[in-house]
Amino acid sequence: MRRKIGCVVMAAGNAFGRNKLEENVGGVRIIHRALEAVPRGELVRVVVVSQYAEIEALAAEYGFLAVHNGDPGAGLSHTVALGLAALADCDAVLFQVADQPLLRRGSIRRKSPPSPAAGGVETRVSSLPASSRSCSR
């Protein structure tokens, strides 16, 4: 049985008071590079968590689900919680930061998901206490 694997693209941060993902590297915006790197063929769903309407709209253009982070100051853990909540039905979740412009799709290759029997670590959203799964404050 194939596991349902989802992806959270974490695109909610900023640098120096502006959206660093709009910067260009090699003539291509960083956010475009990040979304192109997502190995979509290996995933059942991709969620892009951002505070920026432009990135949310771009996520939709790629066929990804946009999740608005209305409190980016709450930190990375809040972005993670929002993404996990949107992928609660997945067996596993890949987390991809959006601010690594040299990351390529080929760098993220699907291998057999780690199993506890093989020494891997398996974490499921459902194993978290209900209070940890809630994104409300």
Side-chain angles (χ1 to χ4, degrees):
M1 184 171 144
R2 187 174 169 136
R3 290 183 173 189
K4 291 183 352 184
I5 302 173
C7 176
V8 175
V9 178
M10 298 179 290
N14 64 39
F16 312 111
R18 67 178 190 269
N19 181 357
K20 65 184 173 185
L21 301 177
E22 293 293 332
E23 297 297 320
N24 284 309
V25 173
V28 180
R29 291 185 336 181
I30 292 173
I31 187 59
H32 277 284
R33 289 176 171 273
L35 298 180
E36 287 293 328
V38 173
R40 65 176 77 209
E42 305 291 330
L43 306 163
V44 295
R45 189 165 48 263
V46 177
V47 172
V48 178
V49 180
S50 183
Q51 65 175 312
Y52 301 106
E54 309 84 38
I55 290 178
E56 293 169 8
L58 186 61
E61 288 179 27
Y62 276 81
F64 301 156
L65 175 65
V67 173
H68 183 73
N69 184 342
D71 189 10
L76 185 59
S77 62
H78 185 62
T79 297
V80 168
L82 289 168
L84 284 175
L87 297 172
D89 63 324
C90 289
D91 298 311
V93 176
L94 164 71
F95 288 88
Q96 178 182 324
V97 294
D99 60 356
Q100 291 185 344
L102 301 181
L103 183 65
R104 300 285 182 264
R105 186 176 298 153
S107 302
I108 310 170
R109 293 188 329 192
R110 181 169 192 251
K111 297 183 179 187
S112 297
S115 70
V121 175
E122 183 173 317
T123 304
R124 297 184 58 113
V125 174
S126 60
S127 67
L128 295 173
S131 61
S132 297
R133 283 183 267 152
S134 173
C135 295
S136 62
R137 296 187 139 223

